[in-house]
Structure formats: structure tokens, C-alpha cells
Amino acid sequence: MQLLLSILSSAIGAELGVAYVGLKGNSHSFWKEICNAYGSFCHHLAATSIMAIISDIALLLLVWLSYYTLLKKIARR
């Protein structure tokens, strides 16, 4: 489960990097911001970011819950 959590967190980081470049652009590589031209793109990216962060938090809570139940079973022995 930790592997899945780390993969999901790194995917969220990559997605937020793309969102930032779409919002602000990158002057070093001459990429212009595209949120001014394609407003729906930024709305979709914002919704995707929020849903990804919510899923990451839910998975983190599930990992903590599984650790807690395993520790309870080990301590009972």
C-alpha cells in the first residue's frame, strides 16, 4: 500500500507541475500560459487536482487504518 501511496503522490506532483505551467507559463522555454486562451482547460485541471488530492488523503487514511488494525492484532498476541 505504501508503494501505491507514493506512486499516487508523485503523480499528483507531476500533475500540479503541469497545472502550474499551464497557469503561469515558462519564460525560459518560451511557453506561454494557456489558461487565458483555454479557460475550460484550467477548470478541468483544477477539478482533477482537487479530486486527486482527495483520493490521496483517502488512501493515506486507509493505510493508517490498516497499520492500526495490524498493530492491534500484533499487540493482542
Side-chain angles (χ1 to χ4, degrees), residues 22-36:
L23 183 65
K24 300 286 185 180
N26 189 349
S27 61
H28 299 293
S29 59
F30 302 108
W31 290 349
K32 296 185 180 199
E33 61 272 357
I34 60 172
C35 287
N36 296 337

Side-chain angles (χ1 to χ4, degrees), residues 8-54:
L8 181 63
S9 296
S10 65
I12 290 172
E15 188 265 333
L16 289 174
V18 170
Y20 183 77
V21 169
L23 183 65
K24 300 286 185 180
N26 189 349
S27 61
H28 299 293
S29 59
F30 302 108
W31 290 349
K32 296 185 180 199
E33 61 272 357
I34 60 172
C35 287
N36 296 337
Y38 302 104
S40 63
F41 175 75
C42 287
H43 295 299
H44 290 257
L45 241 127
T48 303
S49 301
I50 291 169
M51 293 302 290
I53 290 171
I54 289 172

